[in-house]
Amino acid sequence: MIRRTAPSALAARLTGRPAVGERRLSGTLAEVTLDDGRVVLVKLGEGPGAARAEAAGLRWLAEADTVRVPTVYGHDGGRLVIDLVAQGAPSAAAAARLGADLAALHAAGAPAFGTPPPGGPREAYIGRAPMRNVPGADWPAWYAEHRVLPYLRRAVDDGTIRPAEAAAVEEVCARLPGLAGPAEPPARLHGDLWNGNVLWGSDGHARLIDPAAHGGHRESDLAMLVLFGCPHQGHILDGYQRAAPLADGWQDRVGLHQLFPLLVHAVLFGRGYAEQALETARAALAR
């Protein structure tokens, strides 16, 4: 059995400040209070390399100096130490700022589609699902090969999607060059931008947590946000559009970008998400 140091001891070592209090939130999370009054979060990663991937992703987002993320103090094996975000209520103004900041984050770019953050592993995660970061030059081909099809195959192997049903998703992948819209440069993505990973700070600014950061298409982050809904979602999109207008027809492409997270959820959570993915694929083919 692996014995780990206490969260307070890890936080003290990585922040360089003595810990004066510790509160366990769950089996994977603990709050630690430091002697200067700051509160940090000690988080156990979901799998091998997850803490390293999350730390690298947060630092890569922070380097763009656009969206706000918690400070990363370091990681040790499977655990990560970051600032705890003091949360407040969402507001339209904070949402509009977040939209503009997302546009600037995406514009910071990436070397290629699928590239991992500097220092991040190729074998990373999106939530609890493995996610492989393999660079590619062409978004439609890369998205099909390294995002959609691996999870489709897993869902079929697990019996969540029947083999005959998979044809619709496979056809979307084959037709992606004609469905994907104008070519765009690789964007710096959060990669798992659903409502639960947007924290509304008490200072009136939103912060992003738990990234699955990589180089991708900027419409993918926004499609994920739309898929699961978010407070003041319209203000986020308006703020984004004012800062960096999306290419014509982006609304029609939302479903293409949602295929990946829907199939990930089908693998993790079952048939309901599989049916939603299949419906999304059929709708894309009908356009």
Side-chain angles (χ1 to χ4, degrees):
M1 180 177 179
I2 297 176
R3 296 184 60 86
R4 296 184 182 277
T5 58
S8 55
L10 179 64
R13 179 163 65 82
L14 293 181
T15 63
R17 303 293 310 192
V20 296
E22 175 181 314
R23 183 165 73 100
R24 299 288 181 124
L25 304 179
S26 69
T28 59
L29 292 172
E31 288 181 2
V32 175
T33 302
L34 305 177
D35 69 339
D36 59 4
R38 282 179 296 156
V39 181
V40 297
L41 191 69
V42 179
K43 177 182 177 184
L44 179 66
E46 296 283 358
R52 173 188 165 201
E54 185 173 343
L58 286 169
R59 285 170 171 150
W60 195 43
L61 301 187
E63 284 170 7
D65 197 23
T66 56
V67 298
R68 298 186 181 212
V69 299
T71 298
V72 177
Y73 295 102
H75 63 92
D76 178 17
R79 293 181 297 174
L80 175 73
V81 179
I82 59 176
D83 268 334
L84 182 72
V85 176
Q87 295 189 54
S91 70
R97 282 194 296 269
L98 175 59
D101 290 345
L102 278 172
L105 171 69
H106 293 161
F113 298 108
T115 190
R122 170 175 164 149
E123 304 295 335
Y125 294 85
I126 178 166
R128 292 189 287 109
M131 185 185 78
R132 178 170 292 170
N133 286 320
V134 179
D138 174 70
W139 183 78
W142 169 83
Y143 183 65
E145 182 179 357
H146 298 294
R147 289 297 181 262
V148 177
L149 291 176
Y151 298 91
L152 176 65
R153 296 185 190 112
R154 170 78 177 272
V156 170
D157 290 344
D158 291 347
T160 307
I161 292 178
R162 292 182 283 275
E165 293 175 319
V169 179
E170 291 169 342
E171 186 176 351
V172 169
C173 289
R175 290 176 52 185
L176 267 175
L179 297 172
E184 298 229 0
R188 188 173 304 196
L189 297 191
H190 176 278
D192 192 10
L193 193 61
W194 71 288
N195 177 43
N197 287 340
V198 179
L199 299 184
W200 303 92
S202 59
D203 60 357
H205 293 275
R207 285 163 179 78
L208 304 185
I209 61 169
D210 294 351
H214 62 279
H217 196 299
R218 63 185 181 134
E219 292 177 13
S220 294
D221 263 354
L222 300 178
M224 172 79 87
L225 199 65
V226 170
L227 178 59
F228 298 108
C230 187
H232 301 293
Q233 177 179 293
H235 291 285
I236 297 174
L237 293 173
D238 287 347
Y240 192 104
Q241 287 277 54
R242 285 194 294 270
L246 296 162
D248 289 346
W250 69 270
Q251 296 97 329
D252 296 332
R253 296 188 293 272
V254 169
L256 295 177
H257 294 271
Q258 290 176 345
L259 270 180
F260 168 52
L262 283 171
L263 288 167
V264 169
H265 278 69
V267 166
L268 292 176
F269 304 116
R271 180 66 187 181
Y273 286 107
E275 291 175 350
Q276 194 174 348
L278 294 169
E279 181 181 345
T280 298
R282 294 174 188 131
L285 294 173
R287 291 194 179 278

